[in-house]
Amino acid sequence: EYRRQRQMCIRDRPSYLSITPSEARCLTVLFPIHLLLVDDDRAYLDELSKSLERDSRFDIVAALTSGSETLHFLRKCAGESFPLDVVLSDVSMPSISGLDLLQEIRSMELDLRFLAMTAFDSDAVMLQALLQGADGYVIKADRTEDIAQSIIDAMDGGTYLSPQCLARLLRYTPFDGRLDSSFRDIDLSPSEMQVFLLLSRGYSNREIGDALGYADSTVKKHVGNLLRYFGVKSRVQLALIAVRMVRTL
Protein backbone atom coordinates (compact mmCIF):
# COMPACT_ATOMS: atom_id res chain seq x y z
CA GLU A 1 0.00 0.00 0.00
CA TYR A 2 2.74 2.47 0.91
CA ARG A 3 4.49 1.78 -2.42
CA ARG A 4 1.28 2.60 -4.28
CA GLN A 5 0.92 5.84 -2.34
CA ARG A 6 4.49 6.84 -3.14
CA GLN A 7 3.87 6.15 -6.84
CA MET A 8 0.78 8.34 -6.69
CA CYS A 9 2.86 11.16 -5.19
CA ILE A 10 5.16 11.06 -8.21
CA ARG A 11 2.37 10.68 -10.75
CA ASP A 12 0.32 13.50 -9.23
CA ARG A 13 3.21 15.99 -9.28
CA PRO A 14 1.77 19.35 -10.45
CA SER A 15 2.45 20.05 -14.12
CA TYR A 16 3.85 23.50 -13.39
CA LEU A 17 6.78 21.90 -11.54
CA SER A 18 8.93 21.37 -14.61
CA ILE A 19 11.92 19.03 -14.30
CA THR A 20 14.98 18.25 -16.39
CA PRO A 21 15.51 14.83 -18.05
CA SER A 22 18.14 14.05 -15.40
CA GLU A 23 15.69 14.90 -12.60
CA ALA A 24 13.03 12.78 -14.31
CA ARG A 25 15.36 9.77 -14.13
CA CYS A 26 15.88 10.38 -10.42
CA LEU A 27 12.11 10.35 -9.87
CA THR A 28 11.98 6.71 -10.98
CA VAL A 29 13.67 5.88 -7.66
CA LEU A 30 10.96 6.84 -5.20
CA PHE A 31 12.25 8.86 -2.27
CA PRO A 32 12.62 8.58 0.57
CA ILE A 33 14.22 5.14 0.44
CA HIS A 34 13.40 3.32 3.69
CA LEU A 35 16.54 1.74 5.16
CA LEU A 36 17.25 -0.91 7.75
CA LEU A 37 20.87 -0.73 8.95
CA VAL A 38 22.51 -3.75 10.60
CA ASP A 39 25.97 -3.86 12.20
CA ASP A 40 27.31 -5.24 15.47
CA ASP A 41 29.73 -2.29 15.67
CA ARG A 42 27.48 0.18 17.49
CA ALA A 43 29.86 3.10 17.02
CA TYR A 44 29.99 2.67 13.24
CA LEU A 45 26.25 1.98 13.08
CA ASP A 46 25.46 5.22 14.90
CA GLU A 47 27.86 7.20 12.71
CA LEU A 48 26.43 5.77 9.47
CA SER A 49 22.85 6.25 10.64
CA LYS A 50 23.47 9.90 11.52
CA SER A 51 25.23 10.54 8.20
CA LEU A 52 22.45 9.01 6.10
CA GLU A 53 19.72 10.70 8.16
CA ARG A 54 21.09 14.07 7.02
CA ASP A 55 20.20 13.06 3.45
CA SER A 56 16.51 13.67 2.75
CA ARG A 57 16.52 10.82 0.21
CA PHE A 58 16.72 8.30 3.05
CA ASP A 59 14.54 7.31 5.98
CA ILE A 60 16.26 5.16 8.62
CA VAL A 61 13.55 2.75 9.73
CA ALA A 62 15.79 1.01 12.29
CA ALA A 63 19.46 0.49 13.18
CA LEU A 64 19.99 -2.96 14.69
CA THR A 65 23.07 -4.71 16.07
CA SER A 66 22.49 -8.40 15.36
CA GLY A 67 21.14 -10.81 12.76
CA SER A 68 18.70 -12.39 15.21
CA GLU A 69 17.28 -8.99 16.17
CA THR A 70 16.93 -8.17 12.47
CA LEU A 71 15.09 -11.40 11.65
CA HIS A 72 12.67 -10.78 14.51
CA PHE A 73 12.08 -7.25 13.20
CA LEU A 74 11.53 -8.45 9.62
CA ARG A 75 9.12 -11.21 10.63
CA LYS A 76 7.14 -8.65 12.56
CA CYS A 77 7.10 -6.32 9.54
CA ALA A 78 6.16 -9.11 7.11
CA GLY A 79 2.61 -9.24 8.41
CA GLU A 80 2.17 -5.50 8.25
CA SER A 81 2.18 -2.86 5.52
CA PHE A 82 5.51 -1.53 6.69
CA PRO A 83 7.70 0.87 4.68
CA LEU A 84 11.02 -0.88 4.07
CA ASP A 85 13.05 -0.94 0.86
CA VAL A 86 16.69 -1.76 1.57
CA VAL A 87 18.66 -3.74 4.16
CA LEU A 88 22.28 -2.56 4.48
CA SER A 89 24.03 -5.16 6.60
CA ASP A 90 27.54 -5.95 7.77
CA VAL A 91 28.54 -9.44 6.66
CA SER A 92 30.79 -10.25 9.64
CA MET A 93 28.56 -10.58 12.68
CA PRO A 94 28.53 -13.28 15.40
CA SER A 95 25.84 -15.97 15.52
CA ILE A 96 23.89 -14.90 12.43
CA SER A 97 26.17 -13.29 9.86
CA GLY A 98 25.09 -10.84 7.20
CA LEU A 99 25.24 -13.60 4.59
CA ASP A 100 23.10 -15.86 6.79
CA LEU A 101 20.70 -12.95 7.10
CA LEU A 102 20.64 -12.57 3.31
CA GLN A 103 19.68 -16.25 2.89
CA GLU A 104 16.90 -15.90 5.45
CA ILE A 105 15.55 -12.78 3.76
CA ARG A 106 15.53 -14.47 0.35
CA SER A 107 13.74 -17.51 1.81
CA MET A 108 11.10 -15.18 3.30
CA GLU A 109 10.51 -13.78 -0.22
CA LEU A 110 10.44 -10.22 1.03
CA ASP A 111 10.45 -7.45 -1.55
CA LEU A 112 13.72 -5.95 -0.32
CA ARG A 113 17.08 -4.96 -1.72
CA PHE A 114 20.06 -6.27 0.25
CA LEU A 115 23.44 -4.54 0.28
CA ALA A 116 26.33 -6.45 1.84
CA MET A 117 28.70 -4.25 3.83
CA THR A 118 32.20 -5.15 5.02
CA ALA A 119 35.21 -3.53 6.66
CA PHE A 120 37.57 -5.93 4.88
CA ASP A 121 37.40 -5.83 1.10
CA SER A 122 37.81 -9.53 0.36
CA ASP A 123 37.33 -11.18 -3.02
CA ALA A 124 35.94 -14.27 -1.31
CA VAL A 125 33.34 -12.25 0.62
CA MET A 126 32.37 -10.29 -2.49
CA LEU A 127 31.89 -13.48 -4.50
CA GLN A 128 29.91 -15.20 -1.78
CA ALA A 129 27.62 -12.19 -1.32
CA LEU A 130 26.93 -11.86 -5.05
CA LEU A 131 26.39 -15.59 -5.53
CA GLN A 132 23.81 -15.53 -2.72
CA GLY A 133 21.93 -12.74 -4.46
CA ALA A 134 23.09 -9.53 -2.78
CA ASP A 135 22.03 -6.39 -4.63
CA GLY A 136 25.29 -4.64 -3.88
CA TYR A 137 28.63 -4.78 -2.17
CA VAL A 138 29.71 -1.83 0.01
CA ILE A 139 33.02 -1.13 1.75
CA LYS A 140 32.73 0.58 5.15
CA ALA A 141 35.72 2.79 4.33
CA ASP A 142 33.83 4.27 1.36
CA ARG A 143 32.65 7.85 1.67
CA THR A 144 29.09 8.28 2.89
CA GLU A 145 28.29 9.85 -0.49
CA ASP A 146 29.44 6.67 -2.25
CA ILE A 147 27.45 4.42 0.09
CA ALA A 148 24.39 6.60 -0.48
CA GLN A 149 24.85 6.34 -4.24
CA SER A 150 25.25 2.56 -4.06
CA ILE A 151 21.88 2.35 -2.30
CA ILE A 152 20.22 4.47 -4.98
CA ASP A 153 21.90 2.55 -7.81
CA ALA A 154 20.79 -0.78 -6.33
CA MET A 155 17.22 0.52 -6.14
CA ASP A 156 17.56 1.87 -9.66
CA GLY A 157 18.97 -1.02 -11.60
CA GLY A 158 19.59 -4.23 -9.74
CA THR A 159 23.01 -5.39 -8.56
CA TYR A 160 25.37 -2.56 -7.69
CA LEU A 161 28.98 -3.36 -8.46
CA SER A 162 31.66 -0.77 -9.00
CA PRO A 163 33.89 -1.07 -12.09
CA GLN A 164 36.80 -1.97 -9.78
CA CYS A 165 34.87 -4.84 -8.19
CA LEU A 166 33.68 -5.99 -11.60
CA ALA A 167 37.28 -6.14 -12.81
CA ARG A 168 38.21 -8.26 -9.78
CA LEU A 169 35.20 -10.48 -10.33
CA LEU A 170 36.36 -11.18 -13.87
CA ARG A 171 39.60 -12.65 -12.51
CA TYR A 172 37.53 -15.36 -10.85
CA THR A 173 35.62 -16.28 -13.99
CA PRO A 174 38.16 -17.93 -16.30
CA PHE A 175 37.73 -17.08 -19.96
CA ASP A 176 39.43 -19.12 -22.68
CA GLY A 177 38.46 -16.79 -25.52
CA ARG A 178 35.38 -18.76 -26.50
CA LEU A 179 31.77 -17.70 -26.12
CA ASP A 180 28.51 -19.55 -26.48
CA SER A 181 28.00 -19.58 -30.25
CA SER A 182 24.37 -18.55 -29.76
CA PHE A 183 25.56 -15.21 -28.37
CA ARG A 184 27.13 -14.33 -31.70
CA ASP A 185 23.77 -14.76 -33.41
CA ILE A 186 22.15 -12.09 -31.25
CA ASP A 187 21.49 -9.02 -33.39
CA LEU A 188 21.52 -5.91 -31.21
CA SER A 189 20.16 -2.58 -32.32
CA PRO A 190 22.60 0.39 -32.22
CA SER A 191 20.95 1.64 -29.02
CA GLU A 192 21.11 -1.77 -27.36
CA MET A 193 24.78 -2.08 -28.35
CA GLN A 194 25.56 1.28 -26.73
CA VAL A 195 23.90 0.18 -23.50
CA PHE A 196 25.64 -3.20 -23.70
CA LEU A 197 29.07 -1.57 -24.03
CA LEU A 198 28.45 0.69 -21.04
CA LEU A 199 27.35 -2.30 -18.99
CA SER A 200 30.76 -3.82 -19.70
CA ARG A 201 32.26 -0.82 -17.86
CA GLY A 202 30.05 -1.36 -14.81
CA TYR A 203 27.72 1.60 -15.43
CA SER A 204 24.47 1.85 -13.47
CA ASN A 205 21.16 2.68 -15.18
CA ARG A 206 21.51 6.29 -14.12
CA GLU A 207 25.04 6.55 -15.51
CA ILE A 208 23.97 4.94 -18.78
CA GLY A 209 21.09 7.40 -19.06
CA ASP A 210 23.39 10.35 -18.38
CA ALA A 211 25.98 9.14 -20.91
CA LEU A 212 23.49 8.47 -23.71
CA GLY A 213 20.82 11.04 -22.91
CA TYR A 214 18.19 8.34 -22.39
CA ALA A 215 15.26 8.41 -20.00
CA ASP A 216 15.38 5.86 -17.21
CA SER A 217 12.48 3.92 -18.73
CA THR A 218 14.43 3.60 -22.00
CA VAL A 219 17.53 2.28 -20.23
CA LYS A 220 15.47 -0.22 -18.22
CA LYS A 221 13.78 -1.41 -21.41
CA HIS A 222 17.14 -1.99 -23.12
CA VAL A 223 18.64 -3.72 -20.08
CA GLY A 224 15.55 -5.92 -19.78
CA ASN A 225 15.83 -6.86 -23.45
CA LEU A 226 19.53 -7.68 -23.07
CA LEU A 227 18.87 -9.89 -20.03
CA ARG A 228 16.28 -11.75 -22.08
CA TYR A 229 18.44 -12.02 -25.21
CA PHE A 230 21.38 -13.52 -23.31
CA GLY A 231 19.26 -15.66 -21.00
CA VAL A 232 20.66 -14.31 -17.72
CA LYS A 233 18.98 -12.98 -14.59
CA SER A 234 21.38 -10.38 -13.20
CA ARG A 235 23.26 -7.33 -14.38
CA VAL A 236 26.53 -8.82 -13.14
CA GLN A 237 26.09 -11.88 -15.37
CA LEU A 238 25.19 -9.61 -18.27
CA ALA A 239 28.20 -7.36 -17.61
CA LEU A 240 30.51 -10.40 -17.59
CA ILE A 241 29.21 -11.46 -21.00
CA ALA A 242 29.57 -7.88 -22.24
CA VAL A 243 33.20 -7.65 -21.11
CA ARG A 244 34.02 -10.99 -22.71
CA MET A 245 32.37 -10.07 -26.00
CA VAL A 246 34.18 -6.73 -26.07
CA ARG A 247 37.47 -8.61 -25.59
CA THR A 248 36.76 -10.74 -28.67
CA LEU A 249 35.90 -7.82 -30.97
Side-chain angles (χ1 to χ4, degrees), residues 134-202:
D135 297 295
Y137 179 75
V138 174
I139 311 302
K140 287 187 179 182
D142 288 346
R143 299 180 308 162
T144 302
E145 294 84 352
D146 294 330
I147 294 177
Q149 192 58 57
S150 72
I151 295 168
I152 293 170
D153 286 348
M155 284 291 293
D156 176 41
T159 304
Y160 170 84
L161 197 63
S162 71
Q164 295 84 355
C165 287
L166 180 59
R168 286 163 47 209
L169 183 60
L170 285 168
R171 295 203 302 268
Y172 287 85
T173 53
F175 178 49
D176 59 9
R178 293 176 294 179
L179 283 165
D180 188 321
S181 59
S182 63
F183 290 168
R184 299 188 183 279
D185 297 330
I186 297 174
D187 185 21
L188 301 181
S189 70
S191 296
E192 289 169 340
M193 179 58 76
Q194 287 180 311
V195 172
F196 192 56
L197 292 174
L198 292 181
L199 282 170
S200 75
R201 302 178 191 175

Side-chain angles (χ1 to χ4, degrees), residues 37-183:
L37 307 180
V38 187
D39 197 322
D40 62 326
D41 183 342
R42 171 55 75 178
Y44 177 80
L45 185 65
D46 289 343
E47 180 183 351
L48 179 62
S49 180
K50 289 177 182 177
S51 297
L52 291 175
E53 278 181 337
R54 298 190 191 103
D55 191 325
S56 61
R57 296 173 298 178
F58 304 114
D59 168 42
I60 310 301
V61 174
L64 307 177
T65 57
S66 72
S68 57
E69 185 181 14
T70 302
L71 286 177
H72 177 74
F73 180 84
L74 290 174
R75 289 184 180 118
K76 180 181 178 182
C77 295
E80 305 173 9
S81 179
F82 199 84
L84 185 59
D85 301 305
V86 176
V87 176
L88 176 58
S89 173
D90 184 20
V91 296
S92 301
M93 296 186 295
S95 184
I96 298 178
S97 71
L99 296 181
D100 293 334
L101 182 59
L102 171 58
Q103 285 186 315
E104 290 288 341
I105 289 174
R106 294 296 180 244
S107 68
M108 293 166 71
E109 299 184 347
L110 298 176
D111 183 18
L112 296 174
R113 301 286 188 180
F114 186 99
L115 292 173
M117 181 170 59
T118 179
F120 306 102
D121 188 10
S122 159
D123 290 337
V125 172
M126 176 183 69
L127 286 169
Q128 191 175 1
L130 293 174
L131 287 172
Q132 289 184 205
D135 297 295
Y137 179 75
V138 174
I139 311 302
K140 287 187 179 182
D142 288 346
R143 299 180 308 162
T144 302
E145 294 84 352
D146 294 330
I147 294 177
Q149 192 58 57
S150 72
I151 295 168
I152 293 170
D153 286 348
M155 284 291 293
D156 176 41
T159 304
Y160 170 84
L161 197 63
S162 71
Q164 295 84 355
C165 287
L166 180 59
R168 286 163 47 209
L169 183 60
L170 285 168
R171 295 203 302 268
Y172 287 85
T173 53
F175 178 49
D176 59 9
R178 293 176 294 179
L179 283 165
D180 188 321
S181 59
S182 63
F183 290 168

